[in-house]
Amino acid sequence: MSALRAEWTKLRTAGDLGRLLLLAVALTAAVGCGTAEAVKCPDTGCGRDAVKLALTGVTVGQAVVAVLAVLAVSGEYGTGMIRTTLTAMPDRMTVFAAKATVLAAVVLASGTVAVLASLLGGRLLLPGSGFTEAHGYAPLSLADGPTLRAAAGSVLYLALVALLGLGVATAVRDAATAIGIVLGLLYVFPVVIGVVQDPEWQRHLQQVSPMTAGLAVQATVHVRELPIGPWAGLGVLAAWAAAALLAGGLLLRGRDA
């Protein structure tokens, strides 16, 4: 418990990290609402996924979450505070687990606010864009199973992105390098997928891409046509995050601070 309290205190008192959390929430909700306002559905059965449109902001907010997670670790290395932390708490794995737990809890809480705000914005704005019951779209509601899964999955997605960033930052220590690696993993895969011409290779890349596979959890229509199922896709991102945490934890334990 002392390790958790210490990590919570450090995260809570770091002003930049708090502002980044607010920015992540604001960007996620704003981009989702902007998309809901901009995309139109003029006819019945226009084929768009209204829930995924409302949650589009997650693709932007995740970048801020990744940066926040990296800075939560690299900031300590940059100031030398990590030596004080490890002197006060010699068990490095306890410190690492506490960092991961506190970061995940904070991102889960802020991610919940961001996702709920996005869905509320979608519920209010999408009917004005043609996503009406007359066109085959019921108002967005968490009482709908696929919508609830997309919402909960999006919150978990953001938390997993944070853990991915934490693991990479612990492994490489340098903030710029860690941010580049994490954002590259998230955003470069889709670019490569767009360049590849072979449909089978495209499908395989989509199945292993952290972002493409992970965001499959947001889909509520044409789910059987996805390269990977919603929860299986989120599991791919979880595997990336677990690998990063394992690498970071082993390097933290085996080298000098």
Side-chain angles (χ1 to χ4, degrees):
M1 287 299 294
S2 60
L4 289 173
R5 284 195 298 269
E7 293 304 324
W8 164 242
T9 299
K10 284 187 285 186
L11 192 64
R12 178 172 53 83
T13 55
D16 289 343
L17 299 185
R19 286 190 286 271
L20 282 173
L21 274 176
L22 292 175
L23 178 62
V25 172
L27 275 178
T28 300
V31 172
C33 290
T35 302
E37 179 73 22
V39 178
K40 304 301 180 184
C41 182
D43 302 307
T44 301
C46 59
R48 305 303 295 268
D49 189 331
V51 176
K52 193 161 188 173
L53 289 173
L55 295 174
T56 301
V58 171
T59 61
V60 179
Q62 67 176 346
V64 183
V65 168
V67 171
L68 181 150
V70 168
L71 294 180
V73 175
S74 61
E76 281 197 83
Y77 279 104
T79 61
M81 185 66 183
I82 189 67
R83 296 186 183 89
T84 304
T85 297
L86 296 178
T87 299
M89 182 67 67
D91 188 339
R92 297 187 175 200
M93 290 301 96
T94 298
V95 172
F96 190 54
K99 284 183 181 295
T101 301
V102 170
L103 179 65
V106 169
V107 173
L108 284 171
S110 58
T112 298
V113 174
V115 166
L116 290 178
S118 299
L119 288 177
L120 177 61
R123 181 182 176 91
L124 296 175
L125 295 172
L126 283 170
S129 297
F131 292 86
T132 61
E133 293 190 65
H135 289 167
Y137 291 92
L140 300 188
S141 171
L142 292 177
D144 174 61
T147 302
L148 179 60
R149 183 252 297 151
S154 295
V155 175
L156 291 173
Y157 176 91
L158 290 172
L160 289 170
V161 167
L163 293 176
L164 175 64
L166 177 70
V168 171
T170 305
V172 303
R173 298 183 179 183
D174 180 68
T177 303
I179 290 171
I181 291 172
V182 177
L183 296 186
L185 286 172
L186 292 174
Y187 294 110
V188 171
F189 261 105
V191 175
V192 174
I193 291 169
V195 172
V196 172
Q197 299 296 316
D198 186 284
E200 193 63 25
W201 272 104
Q202 278 189 340
R203 184 176 182 86
H204 289 321
L205 288 171
Q206 288 171 332
Q207 290 170 336
V208 299
S209 163
M211 184 170 81
T212 306
L215 288 178
V217 77
Q218 292 183 343
T220 62
V221 300
H222 309 305
V223 174
R224 294 188 177 182
E225 300 173 13
L226 295 173
I228 191 169
W231 291 117
L234 196 65
V236 169
L237 176 59
W240 279 95
L245 288 172
L246 178 61
L250 290 175
L251 288 171
L252 177 65
R253 185 174 64 179
R255 68 189 177 191
D256 295 336

